[in-house]
Structures are given as structure tokens and as C-alpha cells.
Amino acid sequence: MNIVAIVPALDEGASIAACLAPLVREATRVIVVDGGSRDDTSARAAACGASVLAAPRGRARQMNAGANDADDADALVFVHADTLLPPGWRVAAEAALDSGARWGRFDVRLDSGRAPLRVVEAMMNARSRLTGICTGDQAIFVRRDAFDRIGGFPDQPLMEDVEISRRLRAIGRPACLR
């Protein structure tokens, strides 16, 4: 399966390499869509092996620009630049899509050992399982035809991830991967 990872970025030079490492290892292609960074985000992303595009600032616009460039993809995975996917993410996403899911997401695991944050992540994941609403921090993946069918991300400045989840739920429930 041709899975293309799309990462919207803005001034992420200090952390982009960590985000891209698991994507470059497993995705067919990685596209970083820069929204006008004033640092070395684009150069660092290219050095990691990602394709780099420029697009108007705004996650929805940036992710749609990346999706438009990935017109040969069977599936897309949208990953925020501060998110790290675990080893084996591709196999898990591909298995979910091969088993009939049209889209899905991964559980959130916050980078902290503090007990209150373990409760927060558990609540986020449980809410997402119950409602089918996902956040961008959960790395939403979707079959290309489903993404096209709902018209991509809505052109709105905030909560584009919640809105695309709402639209994708009309097609089917998300595969919720741990």
C-alpha cells in the first residue's frame, strides 16, 4: 500500500528530525508542508529525506496542499510536527485499512511520567473511542478515496481535526489503534 505521511510545520527546526525519523523509515513518502517558517525547518526536513513544500500558513491548508501533492497515495497519514509515531505504525495502519476501515487514528501517549497526565491521555483516548472524534495529535490516517470524498480538511483556522473526524464518521467509525 502506498502510504504518504504529511507533516504541517511552522518553525519546527529544533524538533522536526525526531518526528520525521519513524515516518521516513516506514512511509512510502514523507511530505513536510512549511507554512512560512523563519527557522531552518525546511532544510532540516529535507536533510531527513522528506519532500518539502511551501503553503499558506494554517494546518488545514498545509495538510490539503500535502494531500494534493500525494495524488498517487492509497492512504494518507497526517502527523503533527510534535508527534512521534511508534515503530510499526505503518503495519498497524495498513492492517486496519486492509480489514475494512476507511480511516483511523492512534492513541495519544503524553511524554511525561506524571500520574495526572496519564489520566488525561486515558480520557482523551476513551473519548475518541466513544465519539469517533479525533485530534491531530492522534495522527489521523485515511484512505485516499475517503479523504477525497469528504473534500479534505475544512479551510478553518482551528479544530480542523475535529471537523474532519465528524465528516469521516459519516463514512464509518475510525480504527482506534493503541
Side-chain angles (χ1 to χ4, degrees):
M1 182 177 289
N2 182 2
I3 300 178
V4 177
I6 299 168
V7 181
L10 180 66
D11 297 326
E12 301 287 351
S15 60
I16 195 74
C19 170
L20 295 179
L23 300 177
V24 169
R25 275 193 300 274
E26 298 184 38
T28 306
R29 182 173 167 218
V30 178
I31 303 170
V32 172
V33 187
D34 193 286
S37 293
R38 294 174 306 269
D39 67 2
D40 60 350
T41 297
S42 292
R44 288 182 182 228
C48 290
S51 300
V52 179
L53 301 177
R57 185 178 297 193
R59 276 194 179 141
R61 290 177 180 163
Q62 289 170 252
M63 291 185 290
N64 284 335
N68 288 340
D69 193 65
D71 57 358
D72 61 337
D74 298 314
L76 307 164
V77 59
F78 298 94
V79 183
H80 286 182
D82 62 352
T83 298
L84 303 176
L85 287 182
W89 67 266
R90 180 194 174 109
V91 170
E94 198 167 344
L97 295 171
D98 283 345
S99 70
R102 308 296 297 151
W103 70 291
R105 58 82 177 158
F106 295 88
D107 278 355
V108 166
R109 183 150 197 277
L110 301 173
D111 187 19
S112 172
R114 296 181 53 216
L117 292 178
R118 294 280 85 84
V119 172
V120 168
E121 71 188 21
M123 299 286 285
M124 286 175 68
N125 295 328
R127 184 217 60 206
S128 180
R129 277 190 170 74
L130 288 172
T131 66
I133 296 296
C134 310
T135 67
D137 294 327
Q138 292 174 301
I140 296 170
F141 58 91
V142 59
R143 284 194 170 276
R144 177 69 205 216
D145 62 334
F147 183 81
D148 291 341
R149 180 173 161 191
I150 57 123
F153 282 91
D155 189 10
Q156 60 189 60
L158 297 171
M159 309 293 279
E160 74 287 338
D161 46 3
V162 171
E163 179 58 23
I164 199 169
S165 295
R166 188 186 67 74
R167 293 176 184 186
L168 286 166
R169 278 188 326 188
I171 295 172
R173 297 282 303 169
C176 297
L177 306 182
R178 296 200 184 273

